[in-house]
Amino acid sequence: MKTMVLDIGGTAIKSAVYEDGSLIDIQETPTEAWLGGNHVVKRAEEILFSYKKKYSFDRIGISTAGQVDSATGTIIYANKNIPGYTGTKLKNIFEEDFCLPTAVENDVNAAAIGEAVFGAGQNKENFACLTYGTGVGGAMFLRGSLYSGSSYSAGEFGAIVTHPEDRCPQKDMFSGCYEQYASVTALVRRAKELDPSLSDGRILFRHLGEPSVAHLIDEWIMEIVYGLVTITHMLNPSCIILGGGIMEQDYVLEHVQKKLYENIMPSFRNVKIKKAALGNRAGMLGAAVIR
C-alpha cells in the first residue's frame, strides 16, 4: 500500500510517497505562505496531481502547520504566517479532489508520531517533542499515545509565558511567550542586531568562536531552558526530543542538557535531552502512519 504524504510548513511543502517504512521521491516546494491559505491549498493540490501522474497511491497523509482538529481534518487556528488558513477543511478538500481517504495532523504532532514509531521516541511511553524554527511547536506522548487535549490543541509549548514583563495579549497573544525568545527567528533577530551579516543559524554558528556570538548563543540556550524547566516539572517525561535544523548543532544539545539539570529538582534529572532522529522526514513519516 502506497501513501502520498505532504508536510505543509510556512517555508516549504515537503512531499513523498511512503511504502513499507520508506519514503521515495522526496521533493520540496516553496509554500509562498504569505499569499494565504487558499494559495497554499492550491500548491498542495498541484503537488499531489504531479505525483498522481507517476504513482498509484491508496491514501493521503498530511502534516501541516497550525492547530488541527484531526477528527475532521480542519485547521482550527493558524497564525499570521499563513493568512486565511484558519478554518480550512483540508480533509474534505483532498478527499473530494482525489477520492482517497485522507488524514490530517498538526506538523509537530506528526513529527512526534514519526519519532515514536521510527525515531528517537521508540520504546518511550512518556516524552515531549519540541521543534525550534520560525516558532516553537510542541507535542507530547503520555502512556504511549499522543495527547491531543480536549480540543486537539495540547502541546502549545510556544505559548508558555517566560517573560511576563513583556506580556500584552491585547496586542499580541504570544507577547512574553516562549517562542518569542527561544525560536530560531528570535535568535537570528538578535544576531542581526549584533551583525547584519549573521542572517541565519548556519552562518551564526560558523562564528561561534567569537566571544560576542558565543555569548548571544548562550543567552538563547537559556531561553530554551526556561521553557523546558516548566515542561519537565509539569510532565515528568523520560526524554525530551528537540527538533529543527538548529538542533544539528551539538553545542546546543550539550548545553541545554547541562543547564536544564542545573535548573530542575534532582528528582526530575532522569530526563534525557535527545536530538530528533528523523530530521526533516519526521513530519512526513508521521503523516504516513496516522489514521
Side-chain angles (χ1 to χ4, degrees):
M1 177 182 288
K2 290 186 175 68
T3 300
M4 181 67 220
V5 295
L6 294 178
D7 185 3
I8 302 173
T11 302
I13 300 175
K14 294 184 283 291
S15 55
V17 175
Y18 171 87
E19 186 176 28
D20 298 329
S22 298
L23 297 170
I24 60 173
D25 200 356
I26 298 172
Q27 300 179 24
E28 191 166 306
T29 306
T31 308
E32 298 178 343
W34 67 88
L35 294 175
N38 288 338
H39 176 79
V40 171
V41 171
K42 288 178 182 176
R43 295 284 273 184
E45 289 173 322
E46 290 167 0
I47 293 166
L48 288 178
F49 279 118
S50 70
Y51 274 87
K52 195 174 181 182
K53 294 176 181 177
K54 298 183 286 182
Y55 301 97
S56 175
F57 40 89
D58 305 283
R59 58 185 301 276
I60 299 168
I62 299 175
S63 160
T64 179
Q67 295 174 4
V68 176
D69 179 336
S70 56
T72 65
T74 301
I75 305 298
I76 301 170
Y77 172 78
N79 63 23
K80 59 187 178 183
N81 291 331
I82 308 181
Y85 200 40
T86 299
T88 302
K89 300 180 183 297
L90 286 180
K91 178 180 173 69
N92 288 352
I93 291 169
F94 289 104
E95 287 189 341
E96 288 178 7
D97 284 351
F98 296 92
C99 299
L100 291 172
T102 300
V104 185
E105 185 56 90
N106 162 267
D107 52 1
V108 185
N109 284 350
I113 292 168
E115 292 291 344
V117 176
F118 302 101
Q122 289 183 83
N123 304 314
K124 302 290 183 184
E125 287 211 334
N126 300 287
F127 70 86
C129 183
L130 291 93
T131 301
Y132 298 82
T134 304
V136 176
M140 64 188 100
F141 263 67
L142 302 178
R143 297 180 179 176
S145 299
L146 178 73
Y147 178 72
S148 298
S150 62
S151 60
Y152 304 98
S153 302
E156 194 65 73
F157 298 138
I160 295 172
V161 176
T162 55
H163 288 264
E165 71 279 6
D166 295 334
R167 186 80 176 136
C168 185
Q170 295 80 11
K171 292 183 178 179
D172 182 356
M173 187 54 68
F174 278 81
S175 60
C177 290
Y178 189 41
E179 78 167 33
Q180 296 282 357
Y181 307 89
S183 64
V184 178
T185 300
L187 172 63
V188 171
R189 182 179 63 247
R190 292 194 59 198
K192 289 171 72 174
E193 291 172 359
L194 180 68
D195 181 344
S197 71
L198 302 174
S199 56
D200 66 46
R202 291 186 184 89
I203 294 172
L204 184 61
F205 274 88
R206 290 186 203 129
H207 294 264
L208 183 58
E210 299 174 16
S212 59
V213 172
H215 178 70
L216 180 71
I217 291 173
D218 287 345
E219 287 186 331
W220 173 71
I221 286 171
M222 283 308 303
E223 296 291 352
I224 292 175
V225 169
Y226 295 148
L228 296 184
V229 167
T230 297
I231 292 166
T232 300
H233 285 141
M234 285 183 66
L235 300 180
N236 190 26
S238 62
C239 77
I240 299 176
I241 299 169
L242 305 184
I246 201 77
M247 293 304 163
E248 294 300 318
Q249 302 290 337
D250 291 338
Y251 183 90
V252 176
L253 288 194
E254 292 169 4
H255 283 71
V256 166
Q257 177 94 58
K258 178 177 182 291
K259 293 298 181 182
L260 180 62
Y261 277 21
E262 292 174 0
N263 284 274
I264 57 176
M265 288 184 276
S267 54
F268 286 80
R269 291 178 188 163
N270 64 302
V271 64
K272 302 296 182 186
I273 299 297
K274 300 181 71 174
K275 179 173 68 175
L278 304 177
N280 63 9
R281 297 177 297 131
M284 290 188 288
L285 285 167
V289 297
I290 57 176
R291 293 291 187 267

